[in-house]
Amino acid sequence: MQQLLITCRAGLESDIAAEIQGKAAAAGVPGFVRAQANQGFIVFEGYQPDSAEHLVQRLPFSELIFARQWMVVLSHVQLEEKADRVSPILEALGSGPAFHGCWLTFPDTNDGKSLSRLTRKLERPLFKALSPLEKSPGKAGWVAQVFFLSGDDFWVGLTPVKNASPWELGYPRLRQPSTAPSRSTLKLEEAWLQLIPEHLRAIYIKPFQKAVDLGAAPGGWTWQLVHRGMQVVAVDNGPMDKGLMDSGQVTHLREDAFTYKPPRQVDWLVCDIVEKPARVAELMERWLTKGWCRFAVFNLKLPMKKRWQEVDQILTRLRDELDAAGIQYQLAARQLYHDREEITVFVGPKPV
């Protein structure tokens, strides 16, 4: 199996292509990428018959910034109109290694989302037919995946259970809280789910912690902090949501986010400022290296061109600064579903 299909946000195909080619070469799995703009996925073509399997074994999925989900390709099926879909899926999966479960997915595009009705209709007959091929969860290292481009054009493959997104489409489905003052609130909620391992979330995110929100107004990210019982200093010259201010958990400072200094260390720093990514990264370096916060979540707005290259340079510099300061840290970055032209970064102490 030499093809690896990787999904992404439509419009960022060139960025995941540049990222995966560089990381694949570093992992000793050279190849090239087939991609089309705005299709929501790319295909990495390895030069060896087992390239895709080797890559998912050597490259942690969590290190990829622009990827949402991936699968090792078994077959690309293009059917005649109204042909049987179940049989070619069974044939492809029957030739591969042991698996348990099956995801029916599609690109994050308007055409892709229109396929959700088809996948729901196909679930019952397909899952029934697949049942004899499935192994118990303990004996299967893979979950089957069928990625639909249309009703008669789809890819069949396998996704490694322990090295992929836990969500079949690559992101959790979140609801906008009715009392949150802006939709940006979902960025921070998704960041915590995507970037912090599940077993550490309750340790890192607790009631009564102290937090600072830089560029807070009107309070979308502050809402998440308040909702989890934290005391928040919201730094922004703009107005804050009245409901948040009435909570008694928010102190609003009309100050410049780039010059504000906390009087003592806080638990959380969050930042969603519309500014050049290098300048925001420098601000985060200062907070982290001076020990002004323990944990940080921040957004880096992407440039129009060479997004992966600039992100890589900025994160490399951030890591170098943290290393030079002797800080033992963990860093994770991802282009989230609720992000637009930006990526979200989490930095915290390295788990003991």
Side-chain angles (χ1 to χ4, degrees):
M1 294 177 281
Q2 66 188 87
Q3 292 180 311
L4 186 66
L5 188 149
I6 308 172
T7 60
C8 65
R9 182 185 181 91
L12 300 181
E13 293 81 10
S14 62
D15 304 292
I16 182 58
E19 182 180 17
I20 195 65
Q21 257 189 282
K23 289 186 178 293
V29 187
F32 63 97
V33 172
R34 299 185 189 276
Q36 294 180 21
N38 299 309
Q39 66 179 359
F41 74 99
I42 66 166
V43 177
F44 174 81
E45 299 267 2
Y47 292 131
Q48 302 298 324
D50 50 5
S51 289
E53 281 187 278
H54 284 170
L55 188 53
V56 299
Q57 291 168 358
R58 299 175 189 177
L59 176 61
F61 181 80
S62 59
E63 292 184 3
L64 293 173
I65 295 173
F66 290 96
R68 287 192 175 165
Q69 190 58 279
W70 63 3
M71 73 171 184
V72 175
V73 175
L74 294 171
S75 177
H76 181 194
V77 180
Q78 294 175 300
L79 300 173
E80 297 295 332
E81 189 176 359
K82 296 183 180 179
D84 169 29
R85 299 185 183 99
V86 173
S87 295
I89 296 173
L90 292 176
E91 182 179 355
L93 292 173
S95 65
F99 68 92
H100 179 83
C102 182
W103 292 341
L104 304 184
T105 61
F106 39 80
D108 182 20
T109 61
N110 289 334
D111 289 341
K113 292 173 184 176
S114 69
L115 294 167
S116 60
R117 184 177 180 182
L118 167 68
T119 58
R120 289 195 299 269
K121 184 178 180 181
L122 185 60
E123 277 182 357
R124 189 169 183 178
L126 178 60
F127 293 175
K128 182 178 180 180
L130 285 177
S131 182
L133 297 178
E134 293 185 73
K135 302 296 182 181
S136 66
K139 295 182 179 180
W142 305 86
V143 58
Q145 186 175 170
V146 186
F147 181 73
F148 286 89
L149 301 182
S150 70
D152 51 19
D153 187 354
F154 50 88
W155 299 73
V156 184
L158 297 165
T159 296
V161 173
K162 295 183 179 181
N163 191 26
S165 171
W167 301 281
E168 56 192 73
L169 293 175
Y171 54 85
R173 295 180 180 272
L174 304 176
R175 288 187 177 183
Q176 170 71 16
S178 60
T179 57
S182 71
R183 288 195 60 80
S184 70
T185 192
L186 297 178
K187 295 182 188 179
L188 184 54
E189 183 177 5
E190 185 185 357
W192 279 333
L193 292 173
Q194 289 266 28
L195 302 178
I196 302 176
E198 183 177 3
H199 68 284
L200 294 175
R201 286 180 210 138
I203 300 172
Y204 292 173
I205 306 168
K206 300 178 180 179
F208 308 112
Q209 289 179 317
K210 307 297 183 184
V212 170
D213 185 353
L214 299 180
W221 286 31
T222 296
W223 187 94
Q224 290 290 338
L225 302 167
V226 167
H227 186 63
R228 285 161 177 78
M230 299 186 197
Q231 294 292 322
V232 185
V233 174
V235 182
D236 201 305
N237 284 313
M240 291 293 292
D241 176 74
K242 184 179 183 302
L244 286 173
M245 299 308 301
D246 289 344
S247 71
Q249 295 171 240
V250 182
T251 300
H252 181 198
L253 300 181
R254 292 180 178 271
E255 297 185 23
D256 183 350
F258 285 91
T259 59
Y260 171 76
K261 176 183 175 181
R264 61 188 62 85
Q265 186 188 63
V266 298
D267 298 291
W268 279 95
L269 168 67
V270 300
C271 177
D272 187 23
I273 297 176
V274 179
E275 183 54 86
K276 292 181 180 179
R279 190 173 184 222
V280 172
E282 288 174 3
L283 178 63
M284 298 300 103
E285 287 171 15
R286 184 160 70 249
W287 275 75
L288 291 162
T289 57
K290 290 183 179 294
W292 294 351
C293 64
R294 295 176 58 228
F295 304 98
V297 172
F298 55 95
N299 274 351
L300 298 176
K301 309 304 177 182
L302 298 172
M304 292 300 292
K305 297 181 180 180
K306 295 186 177 180
R307 288 167 290 216
W308 157 243
Q309 290 83 349
E310 181 160 346
V311 164
D312 188 40
Q313 291 174 3
I314 289 172
L315 293 183
T316 296
R317 172 177 168 165
L318 176 58
R319 291 187 178 99
D320 289 344
E321 293 295 321
L322 294 173
D323 289 337
I327 297 173
Q328 298 294 311
Y329 66 92
Q330 55 181 316
L331 185 153
R334 183 64 51 86
Q335 203 285 318
L336 303 178
Y337 176 79
H338 292 95
D339 285 341
R340 297 192 181 217
E341 297 297 319
E342 61 202 356
I343 68 164
T344 302
V345 184
F346 163 74
V347 182
K350 192 172 184 177
V352 178

